[in-house]
């Protein structure tokens, strides 16, 4: 049995609060501890997800949160993996528990994000692919989302109205989430009237940057047996890299690997993240009750639905048009409201996805509750070959 | 006359027929762009010797988009000038089996492009300072049908 249990979940609401990431993280951590019915001094291992834009403290997030909560001599780790930082921290905590090195762990991710486009750190650095794509091409993150979106239009007949429908759906779900930054409904017309950021995507197709935090208390099955009668379990944490040669344009690279010497793998990077999670959990896409996927752009949600093998290539828009991805549909996607409603708080978001699954599987999601949710999957992708997929079951 | 300087040295030819320059692992034949010169990234290859290669002059559109807003630094642009969106194209080079991103030639918009259309690589200017002209590569439709 490779399961560990999510004993508690907590968040600091997403938004632009103008305070430091430590404050957000402490709030989320205390909420998760309260949810678990534990005291911080019960925690044996703290896994922090790093932020890179707050200087020195962000690089050592684990110890920063431990100091803020009060030094206890707990073991600690810090993980940086861009948007997958939170799930790498989760993977770290899970591995410690499965190895018998700890019975109970706290995972925390928090950020105070800058306004506007993410940009690389300063200096003249032609060896850094992140610097290169900005300096040589002016390629921001939405550039990549635009490339993926345009391919959906040209290859599969997706439309900008389809993309807008994702925003409309996720905004409607987010109305019912007290932790979401935006709690406002939108229409397809409103999305279409917003300015183009990266053709064919408009401002309201692309997620904002936000402050926010999320935390999880994770424990062994034995520890959980003493603290809960309705455990939700982490059945898989996939943090695999791409396989050479990676043949899809990926952030932040300006070229893919060449396939002259080795044929490209059958699965793209995004699909391989989900595939590894399914293999580890011993389930398939037909077993899912819901999915929380990284809707950095509206069109990207459709890519993820296909990468999770919920439908075939080019079929995600049909699911959307049929209402299958609504909370009341066959396979609800981003019942939380997704990044469309939250915005990005990079090290927190992968943890926030798991919080949502925990609340959904416990039946605590209120007006956004997916009926009888039993199995949920998350998926996200960050820079530099980072990404993750987590499966939670009850 | 201002001095002309590649925005990153060694990524394209500076005289004769314009081409992107990559490197090829002498052990397994994998081609790299941007150039890779110390270790081969093919996991089945322990190679560490590379030869410079000229990449294909043409390829097909993998996808395309534009920059509706001014990108942040280190992209260089005049903050006082009105923002003119530029087009970015991802072009699949058939011979190398790789996709390379590049800005389209000025005047080429997303309306001029479609997935699968043929493109060629041409020289361009990324930006100028008082002393120097920084050169780059651009992609231009050949007009061949998709």
């Amino acid at each position: 049995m490779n399961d560990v249990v999510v004993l508690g979940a907590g968040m600091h609401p997403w938004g632009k609060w103008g305070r430091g990431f430590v404050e957000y993280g402490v709030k989320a951590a205390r909420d998760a501890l309260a949810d678990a019915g534990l005291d911080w001094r019960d925690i044996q291992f703290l896994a922090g997800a790093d932020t890179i834009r707050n200087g020195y403290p962000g690089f050592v997030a684990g110890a920063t949160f431990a100091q803020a909560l009060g030094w206890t001599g707990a073991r600690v780790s810090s993980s940086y993996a861009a948007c997958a930082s939170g799930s790498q921290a989760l993977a770290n905590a899970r591995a410690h528990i499965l190895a018998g090195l700890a019975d109970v762990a706290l995972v925390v991710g928090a950020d105070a994000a800058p306004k506007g486009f993410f940009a690389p750190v300063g200096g003249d650095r032609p060896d850094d692919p992140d610097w290169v794509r900005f300096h040589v091409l002016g390629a921001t993150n939405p550039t990549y989302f635009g490339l993926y979106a345009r391919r959906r239009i040209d290859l599969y007949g997706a439309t900008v109205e389809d993309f807008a429908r994702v925003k409309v759906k996720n905004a409607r779900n987010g109305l019912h989430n007290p932790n979401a930054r935006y709690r406002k409904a939108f229409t397809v017309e409103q999305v279409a009237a917003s300015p183009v950021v990266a053709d064919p995507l408009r401002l309201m197709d692309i997620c904002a940057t936000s402050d926010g935090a999320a935390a999880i208390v994770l424990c062994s099955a034995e520890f959980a047996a003493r603290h809960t009668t309705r455990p939700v379990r982490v059945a898989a944490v996939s943090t695999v890299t791409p396989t050479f040669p990676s043949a899809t344009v990926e952030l932040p690279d300006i070229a893919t690997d060449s396939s002259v010497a080795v044929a490209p793998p059958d699965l793209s990077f995004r699909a391989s993240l989900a595939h590894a999670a399914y293999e580890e959990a011993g389930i398939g896409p037909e077993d899912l009750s819901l999915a929380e996927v990284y809707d950095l752009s509206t069109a990207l949600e459709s890519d993820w639905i296909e990468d999770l093998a919920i439908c075939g290539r080019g079929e995600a828009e049909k699911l959307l048009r049929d209402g299958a991805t609504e909370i009341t549909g066959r396979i609800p996607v981003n019942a939380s409201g997704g990044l469309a409603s939250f915005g990005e708080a990079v090290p927190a978001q992968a943890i926030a996805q798991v919080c949502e699954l925990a609340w959904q599987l416990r039946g605590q999601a209120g007006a956004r509750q997916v009926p009888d949710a039993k199995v949920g999957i998350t998926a996200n992708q960050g820079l530099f070959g980072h990404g993750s997929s987590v499966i939670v079951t009850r | 006359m201002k001095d002309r300087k590649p925005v990153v040295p060694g990524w394209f030819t500076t005289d004769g027929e314009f081409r992107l320059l990559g490197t090829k692992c002498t052990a397994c034949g994998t081609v790299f762009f941007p150039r890779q010169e110390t270790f081969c990234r093919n996991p089945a290859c322990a190679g560490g010797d590379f030869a410079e290669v000229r990449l294909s002059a043409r390829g097909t559109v993998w996808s395309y988009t534009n920059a509706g807003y001014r990108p942040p630094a280190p992209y260089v642009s005049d903050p006082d000038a009105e923002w003119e969106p530029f087009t970015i194209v991802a072009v699949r080079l058939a011979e190398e089996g790789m996709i390379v991103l590049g800005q389209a030639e000025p005047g080429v918009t997303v309306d001029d492009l479609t997935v699968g259309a043929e493109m060629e690589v041409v020289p361009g200017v990324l930006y100028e300072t008082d002393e120097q002209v920084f050169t780059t590569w651009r992609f231009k439709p050949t007009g061949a049908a998709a």
Side-chain angles (χ1 to χ4, degrees):
Chain A
M1 189 61 136
N2 282 338
D3 289 353
V4 296
V5 172
V6 178
L7 201 59
M11 280 194 208
H12 186 289
W14 261 232
K16 288 279 187 185
W17 305 105
R19 298 196 290 275
F21 76 98
V22 184
E23 185 176 335
Y24 306 141
V26 167
K27 197 270 183 193
R30 289 193 170 142
D31 282 7
L33 288 164
D35 189 39
L38 295 179
D39 185 280
W40 155 239
R41 288 166 294 181
D42 298 325
I43 297 297
Q44 298 160 357
F45 179 74
L46 188 153
D50 291 356
T51 173
I52 61 163
R53 287 176 306 283
N54 294 281
Y56 214 40
F59 284 110
V60 289
T64 302
F65 296 130
Q67 183 187 38
L69 290 161
W71 296 127
T72 60
R75 295 185 184 212
V76 69
S77 75
S78 295
S79 302
Y80 181 70
C83 292
S85 299
S87 34
Q88 285 214 346
L90 187 78
N92 217 345
R94 176 178 180 245
H96 268 74
I97 292 166
L98 292 177
L101 296 172
D103 301 311
V104 59
L106 175 65
V107 184
V108 189
D111 208 357
K115 192 172 165 11
F117 292 121
F118 285 135
V121 290
D124 210 28
R125 292 174 296 106
D127 290 338
D128 173 6
D130 201 37
W131 180 88
V132 165
R133 52 120 172 188
F134 278 94
H135 183 62
V136 179
L137 291 180
T140 60
N141 291 8
T143 299
Y144 294 78
F145 312 153
L147 293 172
Y148 307 143
R150 178 51 65 176
R151 257 180 91 75
R152 294 199 69 80
I153 292 176
D154 283 13
L155 263 53
Y156 310 134
T159 66
V160 290
E161 290 76 23
D162 290 325
F163 301 155
R165 276 188 198 105
V166 174
K167 172 73 175 186
V168 171
K169 169 180 71 72
N170 292 353
R172 195 188 310 122
N173 295 350
L175 284 176
H176 307 296
N177 195 331
N179 291 307
R181 174 177 176 186
Y182 301 104
R183 301 182 67 188
K184 185 171 184 290
F186 291 97
T187 64
V188 167
E189 292 72 25
Q190 284 172 315
V191 180
S194 64
V196 172
V197 175
D199 172 276
L201 299 173
R202 296 173 179 275
L203 196 59
M204 289 167 67
D205 284 301
I206 292 168
C207 82
T209 59
S210 289
D211 297 357
I216 290 280
V217 174
L218 208 61
C219 69
S220 65
E222 294 75 23
F223 189 97
R226 299 195 297 272
H227 290 86
T228 180
T229 53
R230 293 192 61 200
V232 292
R233 300 179 175 86
V234 176
V237 182
S238 157
T239 56
V240 298
T241 65
T243 301
F244 180 87
S246 180
T248 307
V249 171
E250 303 285 4
L251 275 159
D253 293 325
I254 64 163
T256 66
D257 294 330
S258 161
S259 55
V260 282
V262 184
D266 292 337
L267 292 174
S268 69
F269 176 39
R270 283 198 289 266
S272 70
L273 285 160
H275 181 76
Y278 288 134
E279 290 275 299
E280 193 170 285
I283 66 158
E286 66 282 358
D287 300 314
L288 298 176
S289 312
L290 77 160
E292 286 286 310
V293 307
Y294 234 44
D295 56 327
L296 292 165
S297 86
T298 50
L300 201 50
E301 178 172 302
S302 296
D303 283 341
W304 274 120
I305 288 169
E306 295 163 12
D307 290 322
L308 294 181
I310 289 168
C311 65
R313 280 288 161 210
E315 295 171 359
E317 277 78 19
K318 183 176 186 314
L319 250 57
L320 179 71
R321 291 172 201 157
D322 292 350
T325 58
E326 299 281 349
I327 285 173
T328 51
R330 178 171 68 78
I331 174 69
V333 178
N334 286 328
S336 67
L339 297 179
S341 302
F342 275 72
E344 269 198 278
V346 171
Q349 191 61 30
I351 300 171
Q353 291 178 316
V354 178
C355 288
E356 177 67 10
L357 293 189
W359 290 325
Q360 289 281 354
L361 268 53
R362 289 174 181 168
Q364 296 173 331
R368 64 180 193 285
Q369 180 66 47
V370 172
D372 196 32
K374 290 190 176 74
V375 179
I377 193 167
T378 76
N380 70 69
Q381 184 180 2
L383 294 167
F384 307 112
H386 289 122
S388 68
S389 179
V390 177
I391 292 175
V392 182
T393 62
R394 71 167 162 87
Chain B
M1 186 158 162
K2 289 183 191 176
D3 183 30
R4 290 176 78 84
K5 192 176 175 185
V7 64
V8 184
W11 285 15
F12 46 82
T13 54
T14 50
D15 52 9
E17 189 196 10
F18 187 84
R19 292 290 191 91
L20 290 171
L21 296 174
T23 58
K24 185 174 195 167
C25 172
T26 56
C28 74
T30 297
V31 176
F32 293 96
F33 178 84
R35 48 197 309 147
Q36 179 76 25
E37 294 175 291
T38 48
F39 46 84
C40 183
R41 298 207 314 262
N42 174 356
C45 179
D49 291 321
F50 295 84
E52 184 173 280
V53 288
R54 292 149 63 91
L55 303 185
S56 300
R58 296 185 174 204
T60 52
V61 174
W62 184 82
S63 197
Y64 51 98
T65 184
N66 66 11
Y69 284 77
R70 189 187 306 276
Y75 190 71
V76 179
S77 69
D78 176 4
D80 296 325
E82 192 181 340
W83 180 246
E84 286 285 338
F86 59 84
T87 304
I88 294 180
V89 199
V91 174
R92 188 167 199 283
L93 305 178
E95 211 176 306
E96 293 81 7
M98 64 161 58
I99 300 163
V100 177
L101 306 192
Q103 292 188 353
E105 270 233 307
V108 175
T109 74
V110 290
D111 295 333
D112 302 317
L113 299 170
T114 184
V115 170
E118 191 184 62
M119 304 291 281
E120 63 180 324
V121 63
V122 295
V125 171
L126 188 63
Y127 63 98
E128 297 185 27
T129 62
D130 289 343
E131 298 82 30
Q132 286 179 312
V133 174
F134 286 89
T135 58
T136 189
W137 72 96
R138 306 270 198 189
F139 288 116
K140 180 182 172 183
T142 63

